[in-house]
Amino acid sequence: MSKQQKQYIVISSALLIAVALLFIHLGISGFGSDVLMTAAAGVAGYPIAKKAYMTLRMRVLGIESLVTVAVFGALAIGEFWEAAAVTFLFVFGSWLEARALEKTRSSLKSLLDLQPQTASVLRDGEEVERSPDQVNIGEIVRVRPGEKIPVDGVIQKGRASVNQAAITGESIPVGKDIGDEVFSGTILESGYLELEARKVGEDTTFSHILELVEEAQDEKARTQQFLEKFSRYYTPGIMITALVVFLITFDVRLSLTLLVIACPGALVISAPVSIVSGIGNGARNGVLIKGGEILEQAGKVGTIAFDKTGTLTRGEPSVTGIKTFGMPKEQLLYLAGRAEAQSEHHLGKAVVHHVRKVTGQSPEPADAFNHLPGLGLSAEVDGQMLHIGNCRLMEEEEIAIPGEIETYLHQEEEQGKTPILVAVSRQIQGVISIADRLRNDARELIKQLYSEGFSVVMLTGDNARTAASIAHALGIDEYYAELLPADKVDAIRRLQFDGQTVAMVGDGVNDAPALATADLGIAMGGAGTDAAMETADIVLMADQLSKVSYSLGISKATVRNMKQNIYFAVAVVLLLILGVLTGNVFLAGGMMVHEASVLLVIINAIRLLGYGSEKPSRQPLFHHKKQVEAYGT
Amino acid sequence: MTTTTFKLEEVSCPSCVKNIEKATGRLEGVSKTKVLFNSGKVKTTYDEQKLDPNVIEDTINKLGYQVVSYH
């Protein structure tokens, strides 16, 4: 039945009932009002009876069949008012519920609406309109102002400001230039772009987001297991009770009322509506939360571990100083650049970047290259053996660090820089200092997390002094330094061993094992990195640290909302049954309470949609205050 | 065993969930069936030797819920 039809039925039966009531009020004609009431029951009851017939045909005894029997029964014994009221309430209730449910699902629906519909592709030098999934990888796509970018691609020509809200939840436009990556689903606000398609159709970041959210909204929470257990006993329990009541009282009406009233409508939807609202709110804010269980887990987090590089810092380290001990600076830079040319490490890339800036060209790769995880590298350049890395590398290679150099290292480290040693032919020739800028919102976030009662831990592969300096700048009390990737996993385990529920925040690329080990893995800047989107429990699409606090907050609020709904629904159902059995609740009144409870559960869930938008000054979201223990390594 | 997801027009009443789960769960060969309330889908796991997905689709349609597509 269409919404329109439903609406007509609700309105016409309401009018019939109103006129009938008017008749009774004016004392005009008892017969007239009876006819009108019966007509109302007929109008409102027709769709119910039709559905009852359909379900019965499939041998399913649903609430519609019970209501239909009850209504016929009421009409048979002359209870016209009761028949009209019950059918009207049932139809009106379901109409209201459908409208309210639409609201809970609206955030996700509006996300779906952002899906691009057409793409202007260049084929044989001519521009043609195609559906976005028909674009081939490598083809050139044109995008004009007001249009949605139809594919993930790289800009070949043009410049534009792009609204990336579909991906990151952030609606302030971002400037994009040649060579930049743009995402499908984002909107070109001004400018003009020609891009080369890299990912199309279902492979785009936007499609992945939609897919994840689609799945997440029906991912069950653990709390729902309680409900499933409950309904396993509840439904047969009600059947038996109704039968027993009938056998004792021979009152068909009472038994039937019990069956109708006891249908657990609010219970069935109590958890799903909260989850869809919570996850919808998240998606709108660029935060992907992968289901009910994740929401619960996020609500329990007490300790938050941050990976330093790329998470608390920008992850764009740059060379801040070069000190040589004998060798000319240019020579040192030449050797280091060649040694690091193939490096995937962010520090190595910083060196290469610097060399390119100084000399204007990319260094040639080394003759031989060996990456040593957590230490640095060894390489051969022009017949010379190079070791580039931290103190540990030099210790392992038994290369002596003179006292003068050691003092210099300490100075640099205390300023939060990461000095790397360059040894040529087993002799230390220089130190290259590299530093990464802190994110603007890092300090603010840490302060907020502490005030909300969380413990905060920083994990880093950096040396202890650099770590101390950065932890101090951010106000973090606890940190673990000089960690190899595997050590990060151990650090998380140790925190868990202390009985804490640990969330790990990282970029999801280098710290995937730690993200997986933590009770809750939060990946930042997930847009564009599929691995991060797959492994993490919560993905922050935007590269915005402040969303960490938001995502824990919305999770907690959603879990609370869900619990309110469940307890409320159980309480209403039990009270109604008690009311029916004690003769205080009859069919029409019971139906009203029942429908109202379903509606209330939905309205409660709708409240979640406003989370995070109405409060300009953020209040603490968490009530438990935990003592923060301070210790460093 | 195979799992098929049926996309429905929209599931907006709590009783629909129960009706669909009961009717499809009773079909011969079905081992598990779940209504995804929010996304309006029915996910059914069944023995493809014994049951054709068309039969499941038919069952859902006959209950009065329109199946839009399935895969």
Side-chain angles (χ1 to χ4, degrees), chain A residues 51 54-55 57-64 98 101 105 109 214 217-218 220 265 269 272 276, chain B residues 10-12 14-15 17-19 22-23 26 34 36-39 41 59 62-65:
Chain A
K51 182 126 266 176
M54 286 173 121
T55 50
R57 200 175 50 171
M58 302 310 290
R59 293 180 298 135
V60 173
L61 186 70
I63 188 171
E64 295 86 358
L101 273 171
R105 297 166 179 170
K109 221 178 213 144
E214 265 263 310
Q217 61 181 337
D218 285 303
K220 288 271 152 73
I269 64 162
V276 79
Chain B
E10 192 157 73
V11 184
S12 65
S15 62
V17 178
K18 292 263 161 218
N19 290 347
K22 266 192 218 158
R26 205 187 283 132
K34 198 95 220 135
L36 306 179
F37 183 67
N38 289 321
S39 48
K41 286 177 186 164
T59 303
K62 274 190 185 152
L63 278 171
Y65 310 102

mmCIF file of all heavy atoms in Angstrom, chain A residues 51 54-55 57-64 98 101 105 109 214 217-218 220 265 269 272 276, chain B residues 10-12 14-15 17-19 22-23 26 34 36-39 41 59 62-65:
data_model
loop_
_atom_site.group_PDB
_atom_site.id
_atom_site.type_symbol
_atom_site.label_atom_id
_atom_site.label_comp_id
_atom_site.label_asym_id
_atom_site.label_seq_id
_atom_site.Cartn_x
_atom_site.Cartn_y
_atom_site.Cartn_z
ATOM 1 N N LYS A 51 -3.878 -7.894 5.022
ATOM 2 C CA LYS A 51 -2.565 -8.403 5.416
ATOM 3 C C LYS A 51 -2.718 -9.701 6.212
ATOM 4 O O LYS A 51 -1.932 -10.632 6.056
ATOM 5 C CB LYS A 51 -1.835 -7.350 6.252
ATOM 6 C CG LYS A 51 -0.458 -7.790 6.652
ATOM 7 C CD LYS A 51 0.601 -6.806 6.258
ATOM 8 C CE LYS A 51 1.243 -7.098 4.936
ATOM 9 N NZ LYS A 51 2.178 -6.099 4.529
ATOM 10 N N MET A 54 -3.168 -12.427 3.813
ATOM 11 C CA MET A 54 -1.908 -12.754 3.136
ATOM 12 C C MET A 54 -0.971 -13.564 4.029
ATOM 13 O O MET A 54 -0.355 -14.533 3.596
ATOM 14 C CB MET A 54 -1.202 -11.469 2.694
ATOM 15 C CG MET A 54 -1.850 -10.813 1.499
ATOM 16 S SD MET A 54 -1.092 -9.232 1.176
ATOM 17 C CE MET A 54 -0.511 -9.500 -0.479
ATOM 18 N N THR A 55 -0.856 -13.139 5.283
ATOM 19 C CA THR A 55 0.064 -13.862 6.177
ATOM 20 C C THR A 55 -0.494 -15.230 6.533
ATOM 21 O O THR A 55 0.240 -16.216 6.578
ATOM 22 C CB THR A 55 0.331 -13.065 7.468
ATOM 23 O OG1 THR A 55 -0.912 -12.665 8.029
ATOM 24 C CG2 THR A 55 1.191 -11.852 7.207
ATOM 25 N N ARG A 57 -2.328 -17.074 4.711
ATOM 26 C CA ARG A 57 -2.152 -17.919 3.540
ATOM 27 C C ARG A 57 -0.761 -18.556 3.552
ATOM 28 O O ARG A 57 -0.553 -19.648 3.060
ATOM 29 C CB ARG A 57 -2.328 -17.057 2.287
ATOM 30 C CG ARG A 57 -2.631 -17.837 1.046
ATOM 31 C CD ARG A 57 -2.897 -16.885 -0.075
ATOM 32 N NE ARG A 57 -1.834 -15.886 -0.165
ATOM 33 C CZ ARG A 57 -1.717 -15.013 -1.170
ATOM 34 N NH1 ARG A 57 -2.597 -15.011 -2.139
ATOM 35 N NH2 ARG A 57 -0.739 -14.149 -1.195
ATOM 36 N N MET A 58 0.198 -17.799 4.123
ATOM 37 C CA MET A 58 1.555 -18.336 4.233
ATOM 38 C C MET A 58 1.758 -19.017 5.592
ATOM 39 O O MET A 58 2.875 -19.226 6.037
ATOM 40 C CB MET A 58 2.595 -17.217 4.061
ATOM 41 C CG MET A 58 2.511 -16.458 2.752
ATOM 42 S SD MET A 58 2.454 -17.497 1.297
ATOM 43 C CE MET A 58 4.123 -18.143 1.317
ATOM 44 N N ARG A 59 0.674 -19.309 6.241
ATOM 45 C CA ARG A 59 0.652 -19.988 7.541
ATOM 46 C C ARG A 59 1.446 -19.238 8.609
ATOM 47 O O ARG A 59 2.202 -19.820 9.377
ATOM 48 C CB ARG A 59 1.180 -21.427 7.401
ATOM 49 C CG ARG A 59 0.229 -22.289 6.563
ATOM 50 C CD ARG A 59 0.758 -23.683 6.451
ATOM 51 N NE ARG A 59 2.043 -23.710 5.778
ATOM 52 C CZ ARG A 59 3.091 -24.397 6.185
ATOM 53 N NH1 ARG A 59 3.024 -25.103 7.276
ATOM 54 N NH2 ARG A 59 4.223 -24.380 5.499
ATOM 55 N N VAL A 60 1.312 -17.926 8.598
ATOM 56 C CA VAL A 60 1.933 -17.131 9.654
ATOM 57 C C VAL A 60 0.823 -16.437 10.427
ATOM 58 O O VAL A 60 -0.054 -15.808 9.848
ATOM 59 C CB VAL A 60 2.883 -16.056 9.076
ATOM 60 C CG1 VAL A 60 3.378 -15.131 10.178
ATOM 61 C CG2 VAL A 60 4.049 -16.703 8.370
ATOM 62 N N LEU A 61 0.859 -16.591 11.763
ATOM 63 C CA LEU A 61 -0.135 -15.937 12.594
ATOM 64 C C LEU A 61 0.476 -14.656 13.141
ATOM 65 O O LEU A 61 1.169 -14.665 14.143
ATOM 66 C CB LEU A 61 -0.550 -16.878 13.738
ATOM 67 C CG LEU A 61 -1.695 -16.384 14.608
ATOM 68 C CD1 LEU A 61 -3.010 -16.400 13.857
ATOM 69 C CD2 LEU A 61 -1.803 -17.211 15.880
ATOM 70 N N GLY A 62 0.217 -13.572 12.434
ATOM 71 C CA GLY A 62 0.793 -12.300 12.861
ATOM 72 C C GLY A 62 -0.206 -11.487 13.652
ATOM 73 O O GLY A 62 -1.353 -11.900 13.848
ATOM 74 N N ILE A 63 0.262 -10.307 14.076
ATOM 75 C CA ILE A 63 -0.610 -9.442 14.878
ATOM 76 C C ILE A 63 -1.839 -9.026 14.075
ATOM 77 O O ILE A 63 -2.929 -8.865 14.621
ATOM 78 C CB ILE A 63 0.166 -8.198 15.389
ATOM 79 C CG1 ILE A 63 -0.696 -7.403 16.380
ATOM 80 C CG2 ILE A 63 0.635 -7.321 14.237
ATOM 81 C CD1 ILE A 63 0.030 -6.305 17.091
ATOM 82 N N GLU A 64 -1.706 -8.933 12.730
ATOM 83 C CA GLU A 64 -2.831 -8.499 11.900
ATOM 84 C C GLU A 64 -4.005 -9.475 12.008
ATOM 85 O O GLU A 64 -5.165 -9.055 12.090
ATOM 86 C CB GLU A 64 -2.396 -8.373 10.433
ATOM 87 C CG GLU A 64 -1.359 -7.291 10.175
ATOM 88 C CD GLU A 64 0.071 -7.763 10.385
ATOM 89 O OE1 GLU A 64 0.256 -8.946 10.768
ATOM 90 O OE2 GLU A 64 1.004 -6.966 10.192
ATOM 91 N N ALA A 98 5.897 4.736 10.469
ATOM 92 C CA ALA A 98 6.616 4.738 9.198
ATOM 93 C C ALA A 98 7.250 6.105 8.951
ATOM 94 O O ALA A 98 8.382 6.213 8.501
ATOM 95 C CB ALA A 98 5.668 4.378 8.057
ATOM 96 N N LEU A 101 10.147 6.567 11.413
ATOM 97 C CA LEU A 101 11.285 5.718 11.052
ATOM 98 C C LEU A 101 12.087 6.332 9.915
ATOM 99 O O LEU A 101 13.304 6.255 9.879
ATOM 100 C CB LEU A 101 10.791 4.334 10.629
ATOM 101 C CG LEU A 101 10.609 3.338 11.760
ATOM 102 C CD1 LEU A 101 9.915 2.096 11.245
ATOM 103 C CD2 LEU A 101 11.941 2.978 12.385
ATOM 104 N N ARG A 105 16.246 7.083 9.615
ATOM 105 C CA ARG A 105 17.091 6.593 8.521
ATOM 106 C C ARG A 105 17.531 7.713 7.584
ATOM 107 O O ARG A 105 18.213 7.469 6.589
ATOM 108 C CB ARG A 105 16.323 5.540 7.716
ATOM 109 C CG ARG A 105 15.980 4.316 8.544
ATOM 110 C CD ARG A 105 14.952 3.449 7.848
ATOM 111 N NE ARG A 105 14.642 2.263 8.646
ATOM 112 C CZ ARG A 105 13.653 1.449 8.373
ATOM 113 N NH1 ARG A 105 12.890 1.678 7.326
ATOM 114 N NH2 ARG A 105 13.424 0.405 9.126
ATOM 115 N N LYS A 109 20.085 7.951 4.258
ATOM 116 C CA LYS A 109 19.462 8.143 2.970
ATOM 117 C C LYS A 109 20.063 9.352 2.261
ATOM 118 O O LYS A 109 20.340 9.320 1.060
ATOM 119 C CB LYS A 109 17.966 8.343 3.154
ATOM 120 C CG LYS A 109 17.231 7.591 2.085
ATOM 121 C CD LYS A 109 15.767 7.660 2.185
ATOM 122 C CE LYS A 109 15.199 6.350 1.696
ATOM 123 N NZ LYS A 109 14.028 5.962 2.438
ATOM 124 N N GLU A 214 25.990 0.594 5.081
ATOM 125 C CA GLU A 214 24.845 -0.285 4.831
ATOM 126 C C GLU A 214 24.910 -1.511 5.727
ATOM 127 O O GLU A 214 23.916 -1.928 6.315
ATOM 128 C CB GLU A 214 24.873 -0.759 3.372
ATOM 129 C CG GLU A 214 24.045 0.060 2.414
ATOM 130 C CD GLU A 214 22.699 -0.570 2.198
ATOM 131 O OE1 GLU A 214 22.637 -1.774 1.904
ATOM 132 O OE2 GLU A 214 21.710 0.153 2.351
ATOM 133 N N GLN A 217 24.634 -0.663 9.780
ATOM 134 C CA GLN A 217 23.375 -0.280 10.417
ATOM 135 C C GLN A 217 22.576 -1.479 10.936
ATOM 136 O O GLN A 217 21.728 -1.313 11.798
ATOM 137 C CB GLN A 217 22.522 0.549 9.463
ATOM 138 C CG GLN A 217 22.148 -0.200 8.197
ATOM 139 C CD GLN A 217 21.329 0.638 7.258
ATOM 140 O OE1 GLN A 217 20.698 1.581 7.698
ATOM 141 N NE2 GLN A 217 21.327 0.309 5.990
ATOM 142 N N ASP A 218 22.841 -2.660 10.435
ATOM 143 C CA ASP A 218 22.131 -3.832 10.938
ATOM 144 C C ASP A 218 23.048 -4.775 11.714
ATOM 145 O O ASP A 218 22.665 -5.888 12.033
ATOM 146 C CB ASP A 218 21.447 -4.582 9.786
ATOM 147 C CG ASP A 218 20.209 -3.851 9.307
ATOM 148 O OD1 ASP A 218 19.321 -3.623 10.144
ATOM 149 O OD2 ASP A 218 20.133 -3.494 8.126
ATOM 150 N N LYS A 220 24.479 -6.282 14.770
ATOM 151 C CA LYS A 220 23.872 -6.370 16.100
ATOM 152 C C LYS A 220 24.791 -5.935 17.230
ATOM 153 O O LYS A 220 25.998 -6.137 17.180
ATOM 154 C CB LYS A 220 23.453 -7.816 16.363
ATOM 155 C CG LYS A 220 22.251 -8.239 15.552
ATOM 156 C CD LYS A 220 20.964 -7.935 16.287
ATOM 157 C CE LYS A 220 19.803 -7.695 15.335
ATOM 158 N NZ LYS A 220 19.337 -8.918 14.694
ATOM 159 N N GLY A 265 6.074 -5.058 19.654
ATOM 160 C CA GLY A 265 6.483 -4.134 18.595
ATOM 161 C C GLY A 265 7.650 -3.244 18.984
ATOM 162 O O GLY A 265 8.649 -3.155 18.282
ATOM 163 N N ILE A 269 11.959 -3.190 17.568
ATOM 164 C CA ILE A 269 12.685 -2.100 16.913
ATOM 165 C C ILE A 269 13.523 -1.256 17.871
ATOM 166 O O ILE A 269 14.259 -0.381 17.435
ATOM 167 C CB ILE A 269 11.730 -1.180 16.130
ATOM 168 C CG1 ILE A 269 10.772 -0.491 17.086
ATOM 169 C CG2 ILE A 269 10.999 -1.935 15.055
ATOM 170 C CD1 ILE A 269 10.136 0.716 16.442
ATOM 171 N N PRO A 272 17.445 -1.544 16.955
ATOM 172 C CA PRO A 272 17.773 -1.101 15.592
ATOM 173 C C PRO A 272 17.585 0.398 15.346
ATOM 174 O O PRO A 272 18.402 1.017 14.672
ATOM 175 C CB PRO A 272 16.817 -1.903 14.708
ATOM 176 C CG PRO A 272 16.512 -3.112 15.495
ATOM 177 C CD PRO A 272 16.551 -2.708 16.930
ATOM 178 N N VAL A 276 20.671 2.792 14.069
ATOM 179 C CA VAL A 276 20.671 3.467 12.768
ATOM 180 C C VAL A 276 20.813 4.980 12.939
ATOM 181 O O VAL A 276 21.474 5.650 12.143
ATOM 182 C CB VAL A 276 19.434 3.087 11.914
ATOM 183 C CG1 VAL A 276 18.205 3.836 12.352
ATOM 184 C CG2 VAL A 276 19.697 3.356 10.441
ATOM 185 N N GLU B 10 10.621 -1.376 1.542
ATOM 186 C CA GLU B 10 10.932 -0.736 2.807
ATOM 187 C C GLU B 10 10.267 -1.550 3.916
ATOM 188 O O GLU B 10 9.161 -2.012 3.757
ATOM 189 C CB GLU B 10 10.410 0.698 2.848
ATOM 190 C CG GLU B 10 10.977 1.467 4.022
ATOM 191 C CD GLU B 10 10.945 2.964 3.775
ATOM 192 O OE1 GLU B 10 9.841 3.516 3.831
ATOM 193 O OE2 GLU B 10 12.016 3.556 3.561
ATOM 194 N N VAL B 11 10.983 -1.701 4.999
ATOM 195 C CA VAL B 11 10.378 -2.396 6.134
ATOM 196 C C VAL B 11 10.136 -1.343 7.198
ATOM 197 O O VAL B 11 11.069 -0.769 7.734
ATOM 198 C CB VAL B 11 11.313 -3.488 6.679
ATOM 199 C CG1 VAL B 11 10.614 -4.254 7.797
ATOM 200 C CG2 VAL B 11 11.713 -4.441 5.575
ATOM 201 N N SER B 12 8.864 -1.071 7.474
ATOM 202 C CA SER B 12 8.624 0.012 8.416
ATOM 203 C C SER B 12 7.751 -0.395 9.597
ATOM 204 O O SER B 12 7.411 0.422 10.419
ATOM 205 C CB SER B 12 8.004 1.208 7.701
ATOM 206 O OG SER B 12 6.738 0.851 7.217
ATOM 207 N N PRO B 14 7.226 -3.141 12.902
ATOM 208 C CA PRO B 14 7.863 -4.181 13.691
ATOM 209 C C PRO B 14 7.292 -5.566 13.381
ATOM 210 O O PRO B 14 8.024 -6.554 13.359
ATOM 211 C CB PRO B 14 7.541 -3.797 15.131
ATOM 212 C CG PRO B 14 7.173 -2.359 15.090
ATOM 213 C CD PRO B 14 6.626 -2.100 13.741
ATOM 214 N N SER B 15 5.976 -5.631 13.093
ATOM 215 C CA SER B 15 5.374 -6.947 12.880
ATOM 216 C C SER B 15 5.827 -7.561 11.559
ATOM 217 O O SER B 15 5.842 -8.776 11.405
ATOM 218 C CB SER B 15 3.851 -6.849 12.925
ATOM 219 O OG SER B 15 3.388 -6.008 11.898
ATOM 220 N N VAL B 17 8.795 -7.674 10.449
ATOM 221 C CA VAL B 17 10.010 -8.427 10.734
ATOM 222 C C VAL B 17 9.657 -9.852 11.139
ATOM 223 O O VAL B 17 10.171 -10.825 10.598
ATOM 224 C CB VAL B 17 10.820 -7.737 11.861
ATOM 225 C CG1 VAL B 17 12.048 -8.540 12.205
ATOM 226 C CG2 VAL B 17 11.189 -6.330 11.455
ATOM 227 N N LYS B 18 8.713 -9.939 12.085
ATOM 228 C CA LYS B 18 8.304 -11.252 12.594
ATOM 229 C C LYS B 18 7.661 -12.086 11.487
ATOM 230 O O LYS B 18 7.978 -13.262 11.329
ATOM 231 C CB LYS B 18 7.305 -11.070 13.752
ATOM 232 C CG LYS B 18 7.942 -10.468 14.977
ATOM 233 C CD LYS B 18 8.328 -11.548 15.973
ATOM 234 C CE LYS B 18 9.356 -11.011 16.936
ATOM 235 N NZ LYS B 18 10.386 -11.932 17.317
ATOM 236 N N ASN B 19 6.760 -11.464 10.743
ATOM 237 C CA ASN B 19 6.040 -12.202 9.697
ATOM 238 C C ASN B 19 7.007 -12.798 8.679
ATOM 239 O O ASN B 19 6.901 -13.967 8.317
ATOM 240 C CB ASN B 19 5.063 -11.276 8.969
ATOM 241 C CG ASN B 19 3.892 -10.873 9.858
ATOM 242 O OD1 ASN B 19 3.687 -11.468 10.917
ATOM 243 N ND2 ASN B 19 3.159 -9.863 9.446
ATOM 244 N N LYS B 22 9.234 -15.564 10.124
ATOM 245 C CA LYS B 22 8.492 -16.812 10.334
ATOM 246 C C LYS B 22 8.264 -17.541 9.021
ATOM 247 O O LYS B 22 8.517 -18.735 8.906
ATOM 248 C CB LYS B 22 7.140 -16.514 10.995
ATOM 249 C CG LYS B 22 7.176 -16.636 12.513
ATOM 250 C CD LYS B 22 5.748 -16.623 13.044
ATOM 251 C CE LYS B 22 5.683 -15.842 14.349
ATOM 252 N NZ LYS B 22 4.337 -15.354 14.645
ATOM 253 N N ALA B 23 7.760 -16.818 8.020
ATOM 254 C CA ALA B 23 7.370 -17.450 6.765
ATOM 255 C C ALA B 23 8.575 -18.014 6.007
ATOM 256 O O ALA B 23 8.532 -19.144 5.516
ATOM 257 C CB ALA B 23 6.613 -16.464 5.879
ATOM 258 N N ARG B 26 10.371 -21.058 7.683
ATOM 259 C CA ARG B 26 9.687 -22.342 7.662
ATOM 260 C C ARG B 26 9.891 -23.097 6.349
ATOM 261 O O ARG B 26 9.599 -24.285 6.258
ATOM 262 C CB ARG B 26 8.200 -22.104 7.908
ATOM 263 C CG ARG B 26 7.536 -23.317 8.498
ATOM 264 C CD ARG B 26 6.057 -23.143 8.585
ATOM 265 N NE ARG B 26 5.673 -22.285 9.688
ATOM 266 C CZ ARG B 26 4.816 -21.273 9.561
ATOM 267 N NH1 ARG B 26 4.289 -21.005 8.396
ATOM 268 N NH2 ARG B 26 4.486 -20.544 10.588
ATOM 269 N N LYS B 34 17.134 -13.781 8.342
ATOM 270 C CA LYS B 34 17.229 -12.607 9.206
ATOM 271 C C LYS B 34 16.711 -11.396 8.447
ATOM 272 O O LYS B 34 17.070 -11.176 7.294
ATOM 273 C CB LYS B 34 18.714 -12.404 9.541
ATOM 274 C CG LYS B 34 18.978 -11.541 10.715
ATOM 275 C CD LYS B 34 19.167 -12.363 12.002
ATOM 276 C CE LYS B 34 18.490 -11.669 13.165
ATOM 277 N NZ LYS B 34 17.706 -12.413 14.049
ATOM 278 N N LEU B 36 16.915 -7.574 7.989
ATOM 279 C CA LEU B 36 17.718 -6.404 8.339
ATOM 280 C C LEU B 36 16.776 -5.210 8.302
ATOM 281 O O LEU B 36 16.445 -4.702 7.233
ATOM 282 C CB LEU B 36 18.882 -6.237 7.367
ATOM 283 C CG LEU B 36 19.783 -7.475 7.221
ATOM 284 C CD1 LEU B 36 20.896 -7.221 6.217
ATOM 285 C CD2 LEU B 36 20.370 -7.877 8.561
ATOM 286 N N PHE B 37 16.339 -4.845 9.488
ATOM 287 C CA PHE B 37 15.259 -3.871 9.612
ATOM 288 C C PHE B 37 15.609 -2.518 8.997
ATOM 289 O O PHE B 37 14.821 -1.923 8.285
ATOM 290 C CB PHE B 37 14.927 -3.718 11.097
ATOM 291 C CG PHE B 37 13.780 -2.801 11.373
ATOM 292 C CD1 PHE B 37 12.505 -3.143 10.978
ATOM 293 C CD2 PHE B 37 13.981 -1.603 12.040
ATOM 294 C CE1 PHE B 37 11.442 -2.299 11.239
ATOM 295 C CE2 PHE B 37 12.924 -0.752 12.301
ATOM 296 C CZ PHE B 37 11.650 -1.101 11.910
ATOM 297 N N ASN B 38 16.822 -2.037 9.291
ATOM 298 C CA ASN B 38 17.167 -0.682 8.856
ATOM 299 C C ASN B 38 17.400 -0.555 7.360
ATOM 300 O O ASN B 38 17.009 0.422 6.748
ATOM 301 C CB ASN B 38 18.392 -0.187 9.612
ATOM 302 C CG ASN B 38 18.060 0.108 11.061
ATOM 303 O OD1 ASN B 38 16.992 0.636 11.347
ATOM 304 N ND2 ASN B 38 18.943 -0.242 11.962
ATOM 305 N N SER B 39 18.052 -1.568 6.783
ATOM 306 C CA SER B 39 18.339 -1.447 5.362
ATOM 307 C C SER B 39 17.249 -2.094 4.511
ATOM 308 O O SER B 39 17.325 -2.068 3.288
ATOM 309 C CB SER B 39 19.710 -2.044 5.043
ATOM 310 O OG SER B 39 19.853 -3.306 5.627
ATOM 311 N N LYS B 41 16.271 -5.368 4.199
ATOM 312 C CA LYS B 41 16.714 -6.544 3.460
ATOM 313 C C LYS B 41 16.410 -7.812 4.238
ATOM 314 O O LYS B 41 16.296 -7.783 5.461
ATOM 315 C CB LYS B 41 18.230 -6.474 3.251
ATOM 316 C CG LYS B 41 18.649 -5.462 2.215
ATOM 317 C CD LYS B 41 20.149 -5.426 2.134
ATOM 318 C CE LYS B 41 20.606 -4.328 1.205
ATOM 319 N NZ LYS B 41 22.013 -4.033 1.389
ATOM 320 N N THR B 59 7.585 -16.173 -1.663
ATOM 321 C CA THR B 59 7.023 -16.211 -0.317
ATOM 322 C C THR B 59 6.932 -14.800 0.268
ATOM 323 O O THR B 59 5.916 -14.412 0.831
ATOM 324 C CB THR B 59 7.913 -17.088 0.602
ATOM 325 O OG1 THR B 59 8.021 -18.374 0.022
ATOM 326 C CG2 THR B 59 7.318 -17.187 1.993
ATOM 327 N N LYS B 62 4.267 -12.797 -1.530
ATOM 328 C CA LYS B 62 2.901 -13.206 -1.174
ATOM 329 C C LYS B 62 2.493 -12.689 0.195
ATOM 330 O O LYS B 62 1.316 -12.523 0.481
ATOM 331 C CB LYS B 62 2.792 -14.734 -1.206
ATOM 332 C CG LYS B 62 2.489 -15.270 -2.594
ATOM 333 C CD LYS B 62 2.150 -16.727 -2.504
ATOM 334 C CE LYS B 62 1.960 -17.321 -3.883
ATOM 335 N NZ LYS B 62 2.300 -18.758 -3.863
ATOM 336 N N LEU B 63 3.492 -12.447 1.061
ATOM 337 C CA LEU B 63 3.188 -11.885 2.376
ATOM 338 C C LEU B 63 2.787 -10.421 2.268
ATOM 339 O O LEU B 63 2.300 -9.823 3.214
ATOM 340 C CB LEU B 63 4.423 -11.974 3.281
ATOM 341 C CG LEU B 63 4.703 -13.301 3.977
ATOM 342 C CD1 LEU B 63 6.061 -13.241 4.640
ATOM 343 C CD2 LEU B 63 3.622 -13.614 5.000
ATOM 344 N N GLY B 64 3.040 -9.851 1.101
ATOM 345 C CA GLY B 64 2.662 -8.460 0.890
ATOM 346 C C GLY B 64 3.833 -7.503 0.938
ATOM 347 O O GLY B 64 3.650 -6.301 1.076
ATOM 348 N N TYR B 65 5.056 -8.023 0.864
ATOM 349 C CA TYR B 65 6.225 -7.144 0.843
ATOM 350 C C TYR B 65 6.924 -7.320 -0.495
ATOM 351 O O TYR B 65 7.258 -8.441 -0.881
ATOM 352 C CB TYR B 65 7.182 -7.483 1.989
ATOM 353 C CG TYR B 65 6.470 -7.575 3.308
ATOM 354 C CD1 TYR B 65 6.158 -8.806 3.872
ATOM 355 C CD2 TYR B 65 6.066 -6.417 3.971
ATOM 356 C CE1 TYR B 65 5.469 -8.879 5.064
ATOM 357 C CE2 TYR B 65 5.379 -6.484 5.161
ATOM 358 C CZ TYR B 65 5.080 -7.726 5.707
ATOM 359 O OH TYR B 65 4.395 -7.798 6.881
#
